[in-house]
Amino acid sequence: MNWYDIIFYAFAVITVVSAVGVVFSRNILYAAFSLLFTFFGIAALYVLLTADFIAVTQILLYVGGILVLIIFGVMLTSRAFNVEVKRGFLKRIPAVFVTAALAGTLIGVLTTTRWPSVNFLPYEETARPIGVLLMTQFVLPFELASILLLVALVGAVIIARREKEKRA
Amino acid sequence: MTLLHLAIAVLFLPLSGFTLLIFFGKKIRRSDLVETAILFVALAFSLYIMIEKLFILHLGTLDLTFRWIDIGALVGHPGFVLDLGIAIDNITAIMLVVVTLISSLVHLFSLGYMHDDIRYTRYYAYLGFFSFSMLGIVLSNNILMMYVFWELVGISSYLLIGHWFEKKSASDAGKKAFIVNRVGDVGFFIGIMIVFTSLHTVLFSGIFKGIAAGQLSGPLLTAAGILIFCGAVGKSAQFPLHVWLPDAMEGPTPVSALIHAATMVAAGVYLVARVYPMLDADALTVIAYIGAMTAFLAATIAITQNDIKKVLAYSTISQLGYMILGLGVGAYSAGFFHLVTHAAFKAGLFLGSGSVIYAMHHEQDMRNMGGLRKKMPITYWTFVIFSLSISGIPLTSGFLSKDSILGGALAYGMLSGNYIIPVLGYGVVFLTAFYMFRLIIVTFHGEPRDLHKFEHAKESPAVMTIPLIVLASLSLFIFYTFNPFSPESSWIMKDVVKPESVVPAAQSRGWSKPAVIETAMSPTASSTSSQAQSGTKSVTYYEEALEESHYFGMGLSLTLAFLGILAAFIIYHWKKIDAEKLKQSVKPVYTFLLNKWYFDELYGATVVAGTVRLSRMMAWFDGHIIDGIVNGAATVTRGASTLSGQFDHYVVDGLVNFSARFTGLLGRGARQVQTGKIQTYIVFALLGVIIIFFAFRQF
Amino acid sequence: MNLHVGLTDFLIVSAILFSLGIYGVVTRKNAIMVLMGIELILNSANLNFVAFTRFGLMNLTGQVVAVFVIILAAAEAAVLLAIVLNIHQQLNTVNVDEVDKLKN
């Protein structure tokens, strides 16, 4: 046990527990706040994996963008903050069973697989190489992604507005 | 940009014009001018290629070959490769200029002649397509591509002959030309297959190399040569497949000038020149005889015809016969030279006749013309120059080329003893001069016979006379040599060198192989001993024969030509001898000639009637035997199907109904799972994934 | 498992997140909750990519792909929330199993 391990387990626990909170919370707002912690935990795991650029992107985009979007969605669609989230009991039994089987299978596979090389590579700067890759090898997906974002932006505006115009 | 790239540009320019006109012809104003301009650009390129190639750079053969098909060797199969490409040697360079020159002048001429035609753009599109195909023949460096372009030329000829397809005679003529050509092309194709199966290549260079190495020899080589020549017989309208060309005159006159006088029919001659090295002595003898026969036959028919274009058509056949004869007797350069000069003066003759026909409002019968000399001076004088040229009068190009062919024929006759060939050749000189001047006198001299049309006749516009003037100047000696009496000094004769024959020595004619000549001259001489010592002697024999025949031949041909002209003047101009009486006195012969030796009737009675009878037999066979079998089969089938129907009704339907009920039962059970909720489906999908994982897991 | 934290540990965290995300997607009725589940799944995939990159089983491409996944998640969240808002305006609900207009 060294500090690295301790920090890893601490953040892994935070991530998993808050994810459980997301999934099992009855209050939708609590779920959203749990998701915040999950995202932070994952960002910390990224830092442990020395992926600095991804970690910062995670915080900026997920926490600053997507999560805010989700909370706006919650506030716009719910009249009260503490909306009871309905869950059908009967539905949950097969879901619990299947999910448990899935998790068991995945973990079983992961622990028995012999990975070809599991050496932890030393830290290198990643922002610059990622930028270079995006502008060279991945320039087409990169441009496509920008077009996708534009389409999503326009599409979201149109979908959200259409009915209002009809009413007006 | 090398000459080869330029040549490819020349090839594809007319095709681009064709594409443009066929798709956008209606949208472009003056699309005819576009096409004409394209042809003039191609002409400029071709001239540049020829001058660079022949006079400035003195290059060898330029070749651009690419691998088209490459099938690697397999077990039990050697595999093969197919190379295609283009090549430019001296005759290609000259032919490029001939084709583009005549084609562009015809385009220019058509601006006037075809002005009011209803399918004007389409006419120009087809002209462009024809030019493309013809240039393709000229540029191909392999026999396969040449065959493809050969057929493309055939189809464009068909389209242009049938340009006025409302006229039944025109559409029939198109079909006739196409079908008669097919007969020759079948032979051509068999020849190609013989060559390809024995030598595994279609490149000319490869073919000659293979034959020189002895991979194809003996009777098969002779057969291949004659079969390939069959293609030339069809395309160049040689006896016995000459019957289509006169009918092809149903097409517009500029087309006749371009396709059926100057270029396409010359393709056959070009083909023979191309494959010349692989023709052995027997094949060459066949070629020489066919050429002589054709020249004579067509000239005799031309004397009796009254349609101005028909006369010129038979004259074309006759001159093509001369070229083939020249190649056959070994006067290779002379034959090709005649092709070039003939292209100029015969295109001129056709365009001149077009000018006359245009002025006479599409009247083609000479008997209704006359006295046009004063009305159409340019047409008249150019026509005279062309006629002098075709008759072989000195100072014209025709004299140069024809004289050298006849010299070659005479030398051949002396060397081989086939005297009938030079005799026919010289006979045709007289006939040619006679019928050409008969044409001129009847058309342009004397009194007008149809006064109404004569009144309206006037000289054609400049777009039509300029091509005539250009072609007339090209029919003079000055473009070919500075000495009007010495064909040998012309640049074409110098640059077009007879290629070295590659056939085995035993099969070659032996003009350049002294051993065979000595054997022929003195049968006792031993062939092996004389071979070594007589490398120079052989040339001497051939040169001697040519030299001996030269002045004699020239004098003879001149005398005959002047006699022919004289006879024409006596009969038709001064009317010393009444033409009608002459006709009566040799009536059987005259009728025989007027009916074109009854070739059409002969083919009608044999080939066509035979085909009809065969198809009747086939129809009977079809109606009685095949139909009987079919009907029997139908009866059996009906019985079988009744049986099968019963089976279907009881057994199959029962099964089907059972399975339907069973499925319904299952469905009712399975419907419980179908909730219509995506989330349920996800659960099932995941379950499926897990099951699949464990089912296929490698423990 | 050795004492030091290795690749497997990261992957196990990722697997747990994935399973929890699936569970959320499958059981939740509120569309926004479903979206949260999807975000969990995407994050677990990202964690896999980054972990593989760091442990030398993938070159930097893994991180680039993670960037694209984040971009896609953003676009998807925007569109999905627009749809949810629209559904909410029209049907006054955000429960996925009550939205069945196409079924009838």
Side-chain angles (χ1 to χ4, degrees), chain A residues 2 5 22-25 39 46 49-50 58 61-62 69 77 79 99 103 117 129 148 159 163 167, chain C residues 3-5 19-20 23 28-30 39 43 46 54-55 60-61 63 70 72 81 86 88-90 92:
Chain A
N2 54 21
D5 294 6
V22 172
V23 177
F24 289 99
S25 159
F39 287 159
Y46 289 159
L49 288 167
T50 69
Q58 170 86 5
L61 264 170
Y62 268 110
L69 208 59
T77 55
R79 297 213 166 68
T99 315
S117 152
L148 177 83
I159 292 171
E163 287 310 310
R167 273 178 210 162
Chain C
L3 262 180
H4 289 285
V5 170
S19 306
L20 285 172
Y23 182 77
R28 295 296 184 146
K29 305 236 154 159
N30 190 313
E39 296 296 344
N43 265 294
N46 262 2
R54 186 43 59 203
F55 285 93
L60 210 54
T61 310
Q63 294 204 9
I70 293 174
L72 281 180
L81 282 170
N86 200 338
H88 181 68
Q89 281 164 10
Q90 291 208 29
N92 209 18

Side-chain angles (χ1 to χ4, degrees), chain B residues 180-407:
Chain B
V180 173
N181 264 307
R182 282 298 73 64
V183 177
D185 292 347
V186 169
F188 185 13
F189 193 67
I190 297 172
I192 293 175
M193 287 195 285
I194 291 179
V195 167
F196 183 71
T197 45
S198 344
L199 305 173
H200 303 291
T201 179
V202 289
L203 293 179
F204 287 119
S205 50
I207 292 172
F208 299 152
K209 212 178 281 167
I211 293 176
Q215 289 169 6
L216 175 64
S217 60
L220 203 57
L221 177 60
T222 314
I226 292 176
L227 282 168
I228 290 177
F229 174 64
C230 276
V233 169
K235 198 67 74 196
S236 286
Q238 296 296 294
F239 166 81
L241 298 181
H242 63 275
V243 288
W244 66 269
L245 187 58
D247 290 31
M249 295 302 132
E250 290 290 343
T253 308
V255 169
S256 308
L258 174 62
I259 300 186
H260 307 116
T263 52
M264 182 185 95
V265 290
V269 181
Y270 178 80
L271 172 68
V272 177
R274 238 315 138 242
V275 300
Y276 197 78
M278 66 172 283
L279 299 170
D280 67 352
D282 293 339
L284 283 173
T285 310
V286 169
I287 290 171
Y289 269 101
I290 288 202
M293 183 66 204
T294 310
F296 181 71
L297 172 125
T300 54
I301 299 176
I303 291 174
T304 59
Q305 298 301 308
N306 287 318
D307 184 321
I308 183 165
K309 283 181 73 182
K310 284 273 164 70
V311 176
L312 292 176
Y314 279 106
S315 152
T316 305
I317 298 176
S318 170
Q319 298 300 312
L320 288 166
Y322 261 136
M323 297 170 208
I324 296 286
L325 162 74
L327 292 172
V329 299
Y332 176 87
S333 321
F336 186 77
F337 189 17
H338 197 55
L339 194 169
V340 175
T341 58
H342 173 261
F345 62 67
K346 186 49 68 67
L349 281 171
F350 267 104
L351 293 183
S353 78
S355 171
V356 171
I357 293 166
Y358 183 75
M360 297 294 283
H361 298 282
H362 294 272
E363 172 64 60
Q364 298 196 3
D365 196 325
M366 291 197 295
R367 285 169 297 189
N368 295 332
M369 300 174 183
L372 288 171
R373 180 170 48 145
K374 294 274 158 45
K375 290 257 183 177
M376 311 177 68
I378 301 177
T379 308
Y380 171 69
W381 283 112
T382 51
F383 216 90
V384 168
I385 293 174
F386 299 137
S387 301
L388 288 173
S389 186
I390 196 175
S391 309
I393 306 298
L395 304 183
T396 61
S397 61
F399 170 73
L400 297 168
S401 54
K402 205 170 187 177
D403 184 60
S404 36
I405 289 183
L406 289 169

Side-chain angles (χ1 to χ4, degrees), chain B residues 415-615:
Chain B
L415 279 176
S416 68
N418 288 320
Y419 287 109
I420 188 149
I421 285 175
V423 166
L424 284 177
Y426 280 100
V428 173
V429 173
F430 173 80
L431 294 172
T432 307
F434 180 76
Y435 67 69
M436 279 323 297
F437 278 84
R438 166 177 176 262
L439 177 66
I440 287 190
I441 293 163
V442 174
T443 309
F444 291 101
H445 292 241
E447 293 303 310
R449 294 177 188 79
D450 187 333
L451 278 174
H452 176 68
K453 282 188 172 157
F454 181 75
E455 288 300 313
H456 292 282
K458 61 175 186 299
E459 185 60 276
S460 304
V463 284
M464 291 167 72
T465 50
I466 287 170
L468 287 176
I469 294 168
V470 172
L471 289 168
S473 56
L474 286 175
S475 300
L476 299 174
F477 71 95
I478 195 73
F479 284 95
Y480 306 96
T481 173
F482 291 114
N483 180 354
F485 287 98
S486 161
E488 291 79 25
S489 64
S490 88
W491 55 268
I492 289 184
M493 294 288 271
K494 276 185 194 146
D495 280 323
V496 178
V497 186
K498 183 161 145 189
E500 210 47 53
S501 178
V502 295
V503 298
Q507 274 179 277
S508 83
R509 181 176 267 158
W511 282 356
S512 47
K513 297 247 190 295
V516 185
I517 288 180
E518 296 224 336
T519 328
M521 299 287 234
S522 52
T524 50
S526 142
S527 56
T528 43
S529 63
S530 56
Q531 234 170 13
Q533 49 162 332
S534 51
T536 50
K537 215 177 173 186
S538 67
V539 181
T540 321
Y541 269 119
Y542 182 54
E543 298 272 305
E544 258 178 23
L546 265 182
E547 202 61 41
E548 273 172 35
S549 59
H550 187 71
Y551 288 104
F552 172 66
M554 194 184 278
L556 187 62
S557 73
L558 271 181
T559 317
L560 285 168
F562 279 120
L563 276 178
I565 296 173
L566 196 66
F569 269 88
I570 287 172
I571 296 176
Y572 294 100
H573 195 254
W574 299 313
K575 305 222 163 69
K576 296 285 183 210
I577 303 172
D578 191 6
E580 283 304 316
K581 259 185 204 156
L582 198 64
K583 276 180 200 167
Q584 290 305 321
S585 61
V586 289
K587 192 157 188 1
V589 178
Y590 177 77
T591 325
F592 182 65
L593 294 182
L594 187 66
N595 289 302
K596 307 147 194 169
W597 292 41
Y598 293 105
F599 263 108
D600 282 334
E601 287 74 8
L602 180 71
Y603 290 159
T606 55
V607 182
V608 178
T611 313
V612 169
R613 193 161 306 148
L614 186 69
S615 23

Side-chain angles (χ1 to χ4, degrees), chain A residues 17 24 81 113 140 142 157:
Chain A
V17 167
F24 289 99
F81 281 98
T113 306
L140 182 69
F142 184 71
V157 169

